[in-house]
Amino acid sequence: MSAIRDLATDLAARSDARLRDLLTARPDLVLPPVPDFAALAARASTRVSVQRALENLSEPQLDVLTAVQLSTHGDTGQSTTAAWLRSDIKGSTVKILDGFLAHLHALALLRRAPAPPEASAADQNRRFYLPVASLAEALGPYPAGLGREITQLVRLLPGYAKQLPVGVDRLRKLGLEIGEATTADAAAEVLHDVVSTPAGWEALLSLAPERTRDLLGKFSVSAVGASPVSAEDPGSPIQWLLTHGLLARLDASHVELPRAVGRAARGHSIIEQLRCDPPVPELRTIRNSLRDNAAHSAVAETLRLVTDLVAAVEVFPITTLRSGGVGVREIRRLADALRVDTEQAAWLVELAALAGLLVLDVDTSRWRIEPGTLWLAQDRVEQWHRLATTWLDAQRAPSLVGTQLTAGATVNALAAEAGRPDAPHIRSRMLAALAALSDDASGHPIDGAMSAVLQTRDVVEWLTWSQPRLQRRFARLVPGMLTEASRLGLMGSGALTELGSLTAASRHDDAAAVLRGALPAPLRHFMLQADLTAVAPGYLEPEVATELALLSTPEGQGPASIYRFSAESLRRAFDDGQDASTILSFLARHSATDVPQPLKYLVDDTASRYGRLRVGRASSYVRSDDDAALSALLTDPRAAALGLVQLAPTVVISQASGPELAAVLRDLGYAPALEGLAVPSSPGRSGPAGGPGSVTAASSRVTLNPWTLSSEDIANQVAVLRGAGVAPADGMSTTESDTLLGLETLRKAIRLRRPVRLGFADSQGNSTRQVLVPLSVSGGRVRVIDPANEVEKVVSIHRIMDVELLSIDEGAVTDA
């Protein structure tokens, strides 16, 4: 019977509510939609879909599923139940295992199966299960840290196949009560029977060297170990295991412990201990007042630095590298301007780009400020909300900037290598872990005046328990994400803040309200001093801070900022169109002290020397002896976008280029002549809508998760499945299910070493049917042996029309 057909029948027997739960948990099964249960079962059996489902399983769920895979056999129909699994999983009970098996069945990772013939009468009414066909491939070659079967190693390792009968014979001569075995397959069966029983295993170990049991314990994590041939000691336990077939040599440096031997070394179990509850570390506590002070200071500092970054980039856009991203030298320049280290400068650049404050100008290959940005017009709470929500949903990991790639190169800021589509999921899981770990080891909430201080290793360990398949991602990304969360006020002094708790629960408006009540009101005054400095005793309102930063140069950092006035800083204000009276009026209006006389002298003296020479920009000019024509052009509102300025009665300059200027003037009805310029090939432009620096803003926003379904989508898919009914065994005619059914038959033939009757189209399009022996399936091709002609060939999967599994006699296969 086909496993895919059995799963289709299992799915069809479920209620609509259980189907909706399945599609909610595994939305990739119906993206795109499927026409019937056969296609749904086929897609649920694919390796990619199963791997994606495994990533969402917790440690105990994955352990139970692994035990099911290792204790069942789909080809023979050997299923299992909770009562049988209890001996394979230490620390488990039938009740606990029934709950885990029911959950795995709801996820379509297991299917219901009949009880095996050897099941007792008491077990006949139990629920038996078999895993989906691709689970073994999705779990990998060493599930639960156990090696491969002895028979599989015999087929794959000629040296082990040759050594195994000799090793079994040596065990028999040492006094172990086993039968003779002259072939590798027979020896594999004998050895498997010996190590699978406690009595046989203990008798075997009694013949081994003294330290053999300790050596076997080192294989508890991985079935593969390092053991160079050159370092072997004839009297060592490892050499004894190799000599007697209990250890297989893979190459000159590595050995593998067979699965049956590994299970015996674990006390004849698959899982040595089932951890049903997440790890609870011993946590120290901190007062909430200290936690909140640290968090609110971090928020204020981050907002100040982002504002300073916006001001710095507005003056000097960020240059990019030819290979993409921002180079170390440019980041160092920004770090010096912001007075922070390069790591924090790279994080601020990434955050500003994600929030849409920075956009890439494709014409100049520079990151500049988004035109019309409302950053300075927003209050601090709105700014924080913008940064926090953007960070949560960003498909990038800024903490990867500066790390090494596999090829040895370094990840640059704003480079594609820092992109991580799984980053939103990791952040969401991290915040959930922080909320869960904020309870003490006894499981009771910590006193309202205290909070738990969370260590990075504790968070990573909790996350690894919840999703062990993502352990490497957690270990690499979570430490940097915790630092970023602290800078956004979601954590303070290592403890989860109220802002973090509300943000983790997606209550962003409530989080903003909490921050609004915590941050002090912005100030509109500063204190001027006689040493040409101004001191801001706190956070200034954005318009006041912006104007003060234009007049002076910020020095130092922290809540009490210092600004120094100089002739150079005042010239920036004059370049902006201000004069001495405007500057002094602003200072008098917002200063808590009188304007010092040295500062007045500096303003007046700089204003008196400013503007003796004037510099402007011109990309083209219009010259005419007709004053009336130039006057009409200057007063024409349609030519306002050209930026026309009259320098002399007969000369007008423009910021547009020569060809653009000529094209617009022709559209306006003029007939200009070109001096020293090539005739534009396409003068059909209606106006200088572009020009230097005008680009379409490149979006830094996050794309929506493609693996999401609305309740309406799920309801429609369930209705389609119910309308299609249960497909009969021979009626599964969808292309997707047909292909997977054929692959399932080919893989089964490979496992059982049986021939198949293969119908396929040759290169000329002719239909051909042959009896072949499949050897492997990979890369969209099937490698087979033609036993009639004794040749090997390769058949493309897309050319296969049907596959029929044959017995050895039907195929008349030779030993070759």
Side-chain angles (χ1 to χ4, degrees):
M1 187 68 176
S2 167
I4 295 179
R5 291 191 175 101
D6 289 344
L7 181 58
T9 303
D10 184 298
L11 295 173
R14 302 187 183 196
S15 64
D16 289 355
R18 294 182 64 194
L19 282 176
R20 286 193 292 270
D21 292 340
L22 170 63
L23 300 184
T24 301
R26 298 179 63 182
D28 60 296
L29 298 183
V30 289
L31 287 172
V34 292
D36 50 36
F37 284 104
L40 181 64
R43 194 172 295 176
S45 300
T46 59
R47 177 180 56 84
V48 174
S49 180
V50 172
Q51 284 179 330
R52 188 176 290 114
L54 294 182
E55 290 181 351
N56 294 319
L57 296 183
S58 65
E59 180 183 302
Q61 293 169 348
L62 188 61
D63 286 345
V64 172
L65 184 62
T66 303
V68 172
Q69 172 61 36
L70 296 180
S71 59
T72 59
H73 200 291
D75 296 333
T76 62
Q78 179 63 40
S79 57
T80 190
T81 186
W84 294 8
L85 283 175
R86 187 175 57 179
S87 60
D88 294 327
I89 305 176
K90 294 181 180 180
S92 65
T93 63
V94 174
K95 182 178 180 180
I96 291 175
L97 293 178
D98 268 329
F100 283 126
L101 291 173
H103 178 72
L104 296 171
H105 175 253
L107 293 176
L109 296 172
L110 299 178
R111 56 184 172 89
R112 294 291 299 274
E118 65 272 17
S120 62
D123 292 332
Q124 290 292 333
N125 294 328
R126 297 185 182 275
R127 291 187 291 270
F128 283 80
Y129 299 93
L130 279 172
V132 293
S134 59
L135 180 60
E137 188 179 1
L139 288 174
Y142 304 111
L146 293 172
R148 290 169 286 186
E149 294 284 0
I150 299 177
T151 54
Q152 188 178 4
L153 292 174
V154 166
R155 292 198 303 267
L156 298 176
L157 303 175
Y160 181 65
K162 183 179 179 180
Q163 176 65 31
L164 189 58
V166 178
V168 170
D169 185 61
R170 289 177 178 175
L171 290 174
R172 186 174 60 83
K173 291 180 180 179
L174 288 175
L176 196 64
E177 296 182 359
I178 55 177
E180 295 185 6
T182 58
T183 64
D185 290 339
E189 184 177 352
V190 169
L191 186 60
H192 183 276
D193 293 340
V194 171
V195 301
S196 297
T197 61
W201 176 247
E202 291 301 326
L204 190 150
L205 284 181
S206 65
L207 305 174
E210 181 180 356
R211 293 171 296 156
T212 302
R213 195 183 298 270
D214 296 336
L215 173 65
L216 292 173
K218 297 181 179 180
F219 288 92
S220 59
V221 177
S222 174
V224 177
S227 177
V229 175
S230 58
E232 287 181 357
D233 180 4
S236 65
I238 193 168
Q239 183 61 31
W240 189 88
L241 293 173
L242 287 167
T243 304
H244 294 83
L246 298 172
L247 201 59
R249 177 161 293 284
L250 300 178
D251 52 40
S253 301
H254 298 89
V255 293
E256 179 177 336
L257 191 69
R259 181 173 301 172
V261 181
R263 288 188 61 176
R266 296 182 180 185
H268 299 278
S269 65
I270 297 174
I271 305 300
E272 295 186 276
Q273 184 61 42
L274 186 68
R275 294 199 304 172
C276 296
D277 298 319
V280 181
E282 295 184 3
L283 304 174
R284 63 182 182 90
T285 58
I286 188 175
R287 290 198 302 272
N288 287 347
S289 58
L290 297 177
R291 177 201 68 181
D292 293 340
N293 286 341
H296 298 154
S297 297
V299 170
E301 181 69 3
T302 297
L303 296 180
R304 182 188 70 81
L305 289 173
V306 172
T307 302
D308 291 347
L309 175 66
V310 169
V313 176
E314 196 164 18
V315 178
F316 296 107
I318 303 174
T319 305
T320 60
L321 300 171
R322 290 184 178 180
S323 57
V326 180
V328 176
R329 184 175 301 176
E330 193 73 359
I331 292 296
R332 190 178 296 116
R333 177 184 69 82
L334 289 172
D336 293 340
L338 301 177
R339 300 177 300 283
V340 297
D341 56 33
T342 55
E343 182 272 332
Q344 191 171 4
W347 139 256
L348 292 170
V349 169
E350 286 272 353
L351 186 64
L354 291 170
L357 301 178
L358 302 181
V359 293
L360 181 62
D361 188 330
V362 295
D363 291 333
T364 62
S365 295
R366 292 186 175 186
W367 288 87
R368 58 180 179 82
I369 299 302
E370 167 71 15
T373 180
L374 301 177
W375 176 258
L376 297 178
Q378 295 175 319
D379 63 23
R380 286 189 295 176
V381 175
E382 293 173 341
Q383 292 176 343
W384 173 86
H385 183 270
R386 179 175 183 176
L387 297 180
T389 53
T390 298
W391 175 77
L392 284 173
D393 297 333
Q395 292 186 349
R396 291 183 63 81
S399 60
L400 294 180
V401 175
T403 60
Q404 296 290 325
L405 296 172
T406 305
T410 302
V411 179
N412 292 316
L414 300 180
E417 290 80 6
R420 290 296 298 252
D422 58 344
H425 173 76
I426 301 296
R427 293 190 188 96
S428 175
R429 296 297 300 153
M430 181 190 72
L431 292 177
L434 294 174
L437 287 172
S438 293
D439 291 344
D440 63 2
S442 62
H444 300 292
I446 294 174
D447 182 77
M450 307 293 290
S451 295
V453 177
L454 306 171
Q455 302 294 328
T456 300
R457 63 176 181 274
D458 297 330
V459 178
V460 173
E461 184 180 358
W462 193 96
L463 290 169
T464 301
W465 177 90
S466 65
Q467 290 178 283
R469 302 276 288 193
L470 302 183
Q471 188 273 336
R472 291 185 178 179
R473 304 186 197 181
F474 292 141
R476 187 180 187 193
L477 298 180
V478 167
M481 289 181 176
L482 287 174
T483 301
E484 295 165 3
S486 297
R487 290 170 176 168
L488 291 171
L490 306 182
M491 296 183 67
S493 297
L496 184 68
T497 62
E498 188 177 2
L499 283 178
S501 299
L502 295 173
T503 302
S506 298
R507 297 168 57 186
H508 302 299
D509 293 338
D510 294 338
V514 169
L515 184 63
R516 191 178 300 277
L519 293 178
L523 303 177
R524 294 188 59 84
H525 70 275
F526 45 83
M527 293 178 290
L528 295 175
Q529 302 183 112
D531 61 350
L532 300 180
T533 60
V535 177
Y539 173 77
L540 295 174
E541 286 191 351
E543 60 270 18
V544 177
T546 302
E547 183 68 18
L548 184 59
L550 178 65
L551 299 174
S552 58
T553 302
E555 292 183 349
Q557 52 185 329
S561 302
I562 300 176
Y563 299 82
R564 180 169 298 279
F565 296 92
S566 63
E568 181 181 357
S569 65
L570 292 174
R571 278 195 292 269
R572 293 199 303 263
F574 292 136
D575 290 339
D576 194 51
Q578 300 188 33
D579 53 25
S581 61
T582 304
I583 294 175
L584 293 175
S585 175
F586 168 80
L587 295 176
R589 187 168 60 253
H590 294 286
S591 176
T593 58
D594 293 336
V595 181
Q597 192 174 34
L599 181 56
K600 291 181 179 179
Y601 287 161
L602 179 64
V603 174
D604 292 337
D605 181 65
T606 305
S608 65
R609 290 185 288 107
Y610 179 81
R612 293 177 180 176
L613 296 178
R614 297 184 178 273
V615 177
R617 185 181 69 177
S619 297
S620 58
Y621 65 88
V622 178
R623 185 170 61 86
S624 175
D625 295 331
D626 188 348
D627 295 344
L630 290 181
S631 299
L633 178 60
L634 290 170
T635 57
D636 193 335
R638 296 175 298 170
L642 294 174
L644 299 175
V645 177
Q646 188 170 16
L647 296 183
T650 60
V651 179
V652 172
I653 63 171
S654 171
Q655 295 182 4
S657 64
E660 289 176 333
L661 177 61
V664 174
L665 292 178
R666 289 193 177 101
D667 290 343
L668 297 180
Y670 298 94
L674 299 179
E675 292 185 344
L677 296 175
V679 178
S681 58
S682 55
R685 294 183 57 181
S686 59
S694 70
V695 298
T696 301
S699 176
S700 297
R701 298 296 181 180
V702 181
T703 58
L704 295 177
N705 179 12
W707 304 112
T708 55
L709 289 173
S710 64
S711 56
E712 183 180 358
D713 295 332
I714 295 176
N716 292 337
Q717 180 61 81
V718 172
V720 170
L721 292 172
R722 292 302 184 196
V726 182
D730 57 350
M732 302 173 67
S733 58
T734 61
T735 303
E736 186 173 7
S737 59
D738 277 349
T739 302
L740 291 176
L741 278 170
L743 290 175
E744 179 188 35
T745 304
L746 289 171
R747 291 191 175 101
K748 184 175 182 180
I750 293 171
R751 291 194 302 270
L752 300 179
R753 289 183 283 183
R754 288 169 54 181
V756 296
R757 181 174 287 109
L758 198 65
F760 59 95
D762 59 19
S763 59
Q764 304 299 323
N766 301 318
S767 177
T768 303
R769 295 180 66 85
Q770 285 183 315
V771 175
L772 303 169
V773 179
L775 300 177
S776 65
V777 179
S778 64
R781 297 184 298 176
V782 183
R783 190 166 61 92
V784 298
I785 286 180
D786 183 353
N789 300 317
E790 297 185 357
V791 295
E792 183 178 319
K793 62 176 65 176
V794 175
V795 180
S796 298
I797 291 177
H798 70 273
R799 294 183 179 274
I800 297 177
M801 296 179 292
D802 60 86
V803 185
E804 179 185 357
L805 186 64
L806 303 177
S807 64
I808 297 295
D809 295 335
E810 290 177 310
V813 183
T814 65
D815 290 340

